[in-house]
Amino acid sequence: MVEIWLCRRQIARSAKILTNPIQKSTSNLGKIPRTIIFILSLLIFQVSQTLPCEAAPAEDSVAFKEAMKSATDCFKKGNIQAAFNYCNRALELNPKSADALLIRGWLLLNANKPDRAVEEFNKVLEVDPKNVNAYKSRGLVYRQLKEFERSTMDLDKAKKLDPTDVEANYLHAMGDILNGNHELAIQNLNTAIKYGSNHPRLNHLYYWRGRTRQMLEDHKGAIEDLTKCLDLSCSNFQSKIKPDPKYDLSTLFFRVSIYTEKSDSIFGQLERAQSYLALGDYAKAAEDYTAVLELNPEDVIMYEERGYAYLLDGQYQKSLKDFNRALLHGSHSTDLYLRMAAANYCLGKYDRVPGTLETWFKREGYVSQDSPLAIALSYSSYIRTKNFKEAHLFLKKVGAKIPAKEAWHLKCFLVLKKSLCCSGLLKAASKPTDKAWSQVHFLAGNFYTLTKSPAKAKKQYQDVMLSADKRSTEMAVARQELKRNQ
């Protein structure tokens, strides 16, 4: 291009000399006849017109810029095919545009063509070997293709090129979570949050750090992060975050998927409710479930979960109302029947318990994790309604359902049957963090209730309340048994 420009400049200069009468006296061409000078001038003009005009670089051309703008605009609107066509037009104008190749790779990934997307990201790295966006994009695709080592290598490379890159740290954290390396995920999310104060995906960063903390049983930390996520999600509609210029392009792909202000206003609230339950803050959990239900009134699971929060909080009528709504909405949950039976038991509606649990037994059997509780509630309900014949027949049926090899379930059954004392049962849990703590102390409390030893029963129910597991159904029933024992 420079050579053409110089050639044309020399031609123009020569034409000027030939046609400028002032220079005739000083030029060696001064003696050339005017006719020849005219012919030479005409030839030079014609040659100059056939040479290419000096063009601006393709990336600076108006056509290229317009094609790129149209491609990004269509991508933002979800018009993938149109965006792809404009991207191809931009690459016709400049086949080595890293940005256009990147966008085309993202479009191919969006069109569920990951292998072709990888090819585009490879082309980007041929043009620009230090392109962070290409490494983190290819790392994401490799993760989808289950090429985990390649994914980690690419994301490591992206972080090495730019340790402060928010999206590279975020994507690395996602891989860490999937690999079960939650501590490393926290470190990468910490870095992403540190440098992502102006990133549109900041609420997602807090969300995933909160979820990772939940996995690590750090529910207080999870609540803090999920609350921050909620606050940021709500404020996204009041303030337009202007990202760092280096993310102008990448946020086109790594953008926040916000559909409506209403749905985003509860982002992370369901997960926060789970942490509130884990900490025994049942009322706050119920509030979060209520907020979710306001936007999703047909969500069957939410009714059951809120009902369970009410049950644990001692609001038995509210819990039953939600459980019944879940049934009316077509819930297929087996746990729902055990929870309904527990709510009726707490309300003193013992006649409703055995029938409800019969459905549960048909689905779950007599040797599942919650079977000892279900068996105890059914038998005790028969006793409390003075239906002693049914109680006897029930024990006979259950005894036939528990194989001799099921030592734990057989022991629980024999204690309920009063063929064993509960001292051996209690040895199964020595501290409140033990998984069986709630179950063994509830069964012991139930045993002492049946044998009319209220003081001992009270002590066992109090021990149930010490359990580290604040979400056990035994805890809900034990709370009500303590009130009856006052």
Tab-separated table of all heavy atoms in Angstrom, residues 36-57:
chain	number	residue	atom	x	y	z
A	36	ILE	N	3.769	16.920	-27.503
A	36	ILE	CA	4.257	15.717	-26.818
A	36	ILE	C	3.995	15.824	-25.312
A	36	ILE	O	3.622	14.852	-24.646
A	36	ILE	CB	5.750	15.528	-27.107
A	36	ILE	CG1	5.952	15.246	-28.592
A	36	ILE	CG2	6.325	14.385	-26.271
A	36	ILE	CD1	7.403	15.133	-29.021
A	37	ILE	N	4.215	17.030	-24.777
A	37	ILE	CA	3.956	17.234	-23.342
A	37	ILE	C	2.501	16.946	-23.011
A	37	ILE	O	2.182	16.300	-22.013
A	37	ILE	CB	4.304	18.675	-22.946
A	37	ILE	CG1	5.829	18.865	-23.017
A	37	ILE	CG2	3.794	18.989	-21.548
A	37	ILE	CD1	6.256	20.297	-22.800
A	38	PHE	N	1.613	17.363	-23.856
A	38	PHE	CA	0.177	17.146	-23.645
A	38	PHE	C	-0.146	15.658	-23.649
A	38	PHE	O	-0.891	15.151	-22.804
A	38	PHE	CB	-0.625	17.876	-24.719
A	38	PHE	CG	-2.102	17.600	-24.642
A	38	PHE	CD1	-2.889	18.187	-23.659
A	38	PHE	CD2	-2.704	16.699	-25.518
A	38	PHE	CE1	-4.244	17.922	-23.590
A	38	PHE	CE2	-4.053	16.439	-25.434
A	38	PHE	CZ	-4.832	17.052	-24.479
A	39	ILE	N	0.473	14.938	-24.643
A	39	ILE	CA	0.203	13.493	-24.750
A	39	ILE	C	0.733	12.759	-23.519
A	39	ILE	O	0.071	11.886	-22.951
A	39	ILE	CB	0.843	12.926	-26.037
A	39	ILE	CG1	0.113	13.493	-27.273
A	39	ILE	CG2	0.783	11.402	-26.051
A	39	ILE	CD1	0.798	13.178	-28.589
A	40	LEU	N	1.971	13.149	-23.100
A	40	LEU	CA	2.535	12.516	-21.908
A	40	LEU	C	1.673	12.788	-20.676
A	40	LEU	O	1.456	11.910	-19.835
A	40	LEU	CB	3.953	13.018	-21.669
A	40	LEU	CG	5.026	12.456	-22.615
A	40	LEU	CD1	6.349	13.206	-22.406
A	40	LEU	CD2	5.222	10.966	-22.386
A	41	SER	N	1.206	13.984	-20.544
A	41	SER	CA	0.347	14.336	-19.408
A	41	SER	C	-0.919	13.505	-19.397
A	41	SER	O	-1.387	13.040	-18.353
A	41	SER	CB	-0.007	15.824	-19.457
A	41	SER	OG	1.148	16.599	-19.394
A	42	LEU	N	-1.502	13.329	-20.564
A	42	LEU	CA	-2.741	12.547	-20.671
A	42	LEU	C	-2.502	11.098	-20.278
A	42	LEU	O	-3.293	10.497	-19.553
A	42	LEU	CB	-3.274	12.635	-22.107
A	42	LEU	CG	-4.619	11.926	-22.377
A	42	LEU	CD1	-5.702	12.540	-21.514
A	42	LEU	CD2	-4.993	12.025	-23.848
A	43	LEU	N	-1.355	10.527	-20.742
A	43	LEU	CA	-1.035	9.143	-20.406
A	43	LEU	C	-0.824	8.977	-18.896
A	43	LEU	O	-1.270	8.013	-18.278
A	43	LEU	CB	0.218	8.695	-21.163
A	43	LEU	CG	0.035	8.452	-22.672
A	43	LEU	CD1	1.405	8.233	-23.329
A	43	LEU	CD2	-0.864	7.246	-22.909
A	44	ILE	N	-0.083	9.948	-18.327
A	44	ILE	CA	0.170	9.874	-16.888
A	44	ILE	C	-1.132	9.950	-16.104
A	44	ILE	O	-1.352	9.229	-15.127
A	44	ILE	CB	1.123	11.008	-16.466
A	44	ILE	CG1	2.524	10.725	-17.018
A	44	ILE	CG2	1.170	11.142	-14.949
A	44	ILE	CD1	3.462	11.891	-16.873
A	45	PHE	N	-2.046	10.792	-16.497
A	45	PHE	CA	-3.346	10.917	-15.830
A	45	PHE	C	-4.122	9.611	-15.884
A	45	PHE	O	-4.702	9.157	-14.909
A	45	PHE	CB	-4.148	12.053	-16.477
A	45	PHE	CG	-5.533	12.188	-15.908
A	45	PHE	CD1	-5.725	12.759	-14.664
A	45	PHE	CD2	-6.630	11.705	-16.610
A	45	PHE	CE1	-7.003	12.876	-14.134
A	45	PHE	CE2	-7.905	11.813	-16.070
A	45	PHE	CZ	-8.095	12.404	-14.844
A	46	GLN	N	-4.107	8.957	-17.091
A	46	GLN	CA	-4.841	7.711	-17.258
A	46	GLN	C	-4.245	6.599	-16.389
A	46	GLN	O	-4.956	5.820	-15.765
A	46	GLN	CB	-4.825	7.290	-18.736
A	46	GLN	CG	-5.688	8.191	-19.612
A	46	GLN	CD	-5.571	7.841	-21.079
A	46	GLN	OE1	-4.617	7.187	-21.492
A	46	GLN	NE2	-6.527	8.288	-21.882
A	47	VAL	N	-2.871	6.558	-16.352
A	47	VAL	CA	-2.225	5.542	-15.507
A	47	VAL	C	-2.563	5.758	-14.044
A	47	VAL	O	-2.839	4.840	-13.299
A	47	VAL	CB	-0.697	5.559	-15.732
A	47	VAL	CG1	0.000	4.693	-14.696
A	47	VAL	CG2	-0.367	5.076	-17.129
A	48	SER	N	-2.545	7.008	-13.620
A	48	SER	CA	-2.839	7.315	-12.212
A	48	SER	C	-4.241	6.917	-11.822
A	48	SER	O	-4.509	6.551	-10.682
A	48	SER	CB	-2.614	8.798	-11.925
A	48	SER	OG	-3.620	9.563	-12.563
A	49	GLN	N	-5.157	6.987	-12.776
A	49	GLN	CA	-6.540	6.618	-12.477
A	49	GLN	C	-6.734	5.117	-12.352
A	49	GLN	O	-7.651	4.651	-11.704
A	49	GLN	CB	-7.493	7.170	-13.550
A	49	GLN	CG	-7.557	8.694	-13.594
A	49	GLN	CD	-7.924	9.264	-12.260
A	49	GLN	OE1	-8.963	8.939	-11.719
A	49	GLN	NE2	-7.071	10.123	-11.720
A	50	THR	N	-5.857	4.346	-13.017
A	50	THR	CA	-5.988	2.881	-12.951
A	50	THR	C	-5.325	2.293	-11.719
A	50	THR	O	-5.596	1.158	-11.344
A	50	THR	CB	-5.375	2.226	-14.194
A	50	THR	OG1	-3.986	2.553	-14.243
A	50	THR	CG2	-6.066	2.714	-15.458
A	51	LEU	N	-4.419	3.044	-11.046
A	51	LEU	CA	-3.784	2.543	-9.822
A	51	LEU	C	-4.769	2.590	-8.657
A	51	LEU	O	-5.612	3.494	-8.592
A	51	LEU	CB	-2.564	3.396	-9.485
A	51	LEU	CG	-1.341	3.169	-10.396
A	51	LEU	CD1	-0.302	4.239	-10.091
A	51	LEU	CD2	-0.758	1.786	-10.212
A	52	PRO	N	-4.686	1.592	-7.709
A	52	PRO	CA	-5.608	1.595	-6.549
A	52	PRO	C	-5.437	2.852	-5.735
A	52	PRO	O	-4.334	3.350	-5.553
A	52	PRO	CB	-5.168	0.358	-5.753
A	52	PRO	CG	-4.392	-0.486	-6.710
A	52	PRO	CD	-3.764	0.452	-7.686
A	53	CYS	N	-6.584	3.341	-5.195
A	53	CYS	CA	-6.535	4.504	-4.327
A	53	CYS	C	-5.934	4.094	-2.991
A	53	CYS	O	-6.109	2.964	-2.539
A	53	CYS	CB	-7.936	5.075	-4.098
A	53	CYS	SG	-8.650	5.737	-5.599
A	54	GLU	N	-5.291	4.983	-2.329
A	54	GLU	CA	-4.763	4.717	-0.985
A	54	GLU	C	-5.940	4.488	-0.043
A	54	GLU	O	-6.829	5.325	0.079
A	54	GLU	CB	-3.943	5.914	-0.525
A	54	GLU	CG	-3.364	5.727	0.850
A	54	GLU	CD	-2.620	6.961	1.303
A	54	GLU	OE1	-2.566	7.942	0.552
A	54	GLU	OE2	-2.106	6.940	2.432
A	55	ALA	N	-6.001	3.280	0.623
A	55	ALA	CA	-7.141	2.916	1.471
A	55	ALA	C	-6.745	2.929	2.934
A	55	ALA	O	-5.602	2.656	3.280
A	55	ALA	CB	-7.654	1.522	1.098
A	56	ALA	N	-7.708	3.238	3.759
A	56	ALA	CA	-7.481	3.160	5.203
A	56	ALA	C	-7.398	1.702	5.604
A	56	ALA	O	-7.954	0.833	4.928
A	56	ALA	CB	-8.625	3.835	5.937
A	57	PRO	N	-6.682	1.341	6.680
A	57	PRO	CA	-6.652	-0.044	7.155
A	57	PRO	C	-8.066	-0.566	7.347
A	57	PRO	O	-8.968	0.184	7.733
A	57	PRO	CB	-5.903	0.055	8.489
A	57	PRO	CG	-5.062	1.285	8.360
A	57	PRO	CD	-5.868	2.226	7.530
